[in-house]
Amino acid sequence: MNLHVRLAGSPNERLALLFRDWFRAHPEAVPAYATFKRSLAAAVPGIATYSDVKDPIVDLVITVADAWAAVSGWRQP
């Protein structure tokens, strides 16, 4: 298991909430992301490598989610 803790009001909290809410608003993207994560977990030796490879994908999702947030009026809860 991997637990993430965020400081309330921090930019890192915003990232996590935006990431979550973008996927909630775009459920058609969830299966592809889940498949990517499963395939990656099976292909790499440990959590450090997994995180290193996954981070650029998260960055891409956040880039798209930021644009969505601006257009949709999304605000951090």
Side-chain angles (χ1 to χ4, degrees), residues 8-42:
S10 70
N12 198 272
E13 180 193 36
R14 179 190 182 276
L15 181 142
L17 294 172
L18 177 58
F19 191 84
R20 176 201 69 188
D21 291 349
W22 184 85
F23 273 109
R24 285 181 175 174
H26 299 86
E28 69 281 1
V30 173
Y33 186 65
T35 297
F36 163 72
K37 288 183 62 163
R38 280 196 284 293
S39 297
L40 178 59

Side-chain angles (χ1 to χ4, degrees), residues 19 23 28-44 47 49-61:
F19 191 84
F23 273 109
E28 69 281 1
V30 173
Y33 186 65
T35 297
F36 163 72
K37 288 183 62 163
R38 280 196 284 293
S39 297
L40 178 59
V44 298
I47 190 71
T49 303
Y50 174 86
S51 294
D52 287 345
V53 174
K54 188 181 74 150
D55 281 350
I57 302 304
V58 171
D59 292 343
L60 288 172
V61 172

